[in-house]
Amino acid sequence: MKTTGTFRPEGGSAAAGRDMPVPVRQWPIVLVLAFVGVGLLVTALGAWRAGIVTIGVGMLVGAVLRIVLPEVGMLAVRSRFTDIVVMGVLGAVIVVLALAALPDPVIHLPLVGRLGDLVHSDTGGG
C-alpha cells in the first residue's frame, strides 16, 4: 500500500479564519517565536539570564496555548499530549537551569554546584 500523505496533527488547523493574513491565522506560533526572538535579543544585549528565562517562558506559553486552544495551527507538531509534554518540560528545564546557572544563581540546585566544582577543578593535567 502506497502512502499518499500524512495526517495533520490534532489541533493543526489555523487559529483564525482564512480571510485573515497568515501571521494572524498562525498567531500561536508567532507569539511563541516572538518570546524566543525577544529572549535572544535580550541575551545578545548582555542580560543572558533574563534572555534565557524569556526563551523558557516562551516554551511554557506554547504548552499552555496547546492545552487551552482547540486549534493552534503550526504550533501543533505531534499529538496534543506530546506537544504539551515536550514544550512544558523543555520550558521548565530552561527556566530552572537559567535561574540556577553560575555565577550568582537565583535558585540553588545541589547538582549544579557539584557540576561547577567538577568543571572548575584542577585535575593536574598540565
Side-chain angles (χ1 to χ4, degrees), residues 1-5 7:
M1 178 179 288
K2 182 179 177 184
T3 303
T4 58
F7 291 109

Side-chain angles (χ1 to χ4, degrees), residues 8-33:
R8 180 179 297 166
E10 174 190 1
S13 295
R18 290 207 172 268
D19 57 330
M20 305 298 273
V22 173
V24 175
R25 282 186 280 161
Q26 298 294 336
W27 72 265
I29 192 133
V30 170
L31 179 64
V32 172
L33 290 175

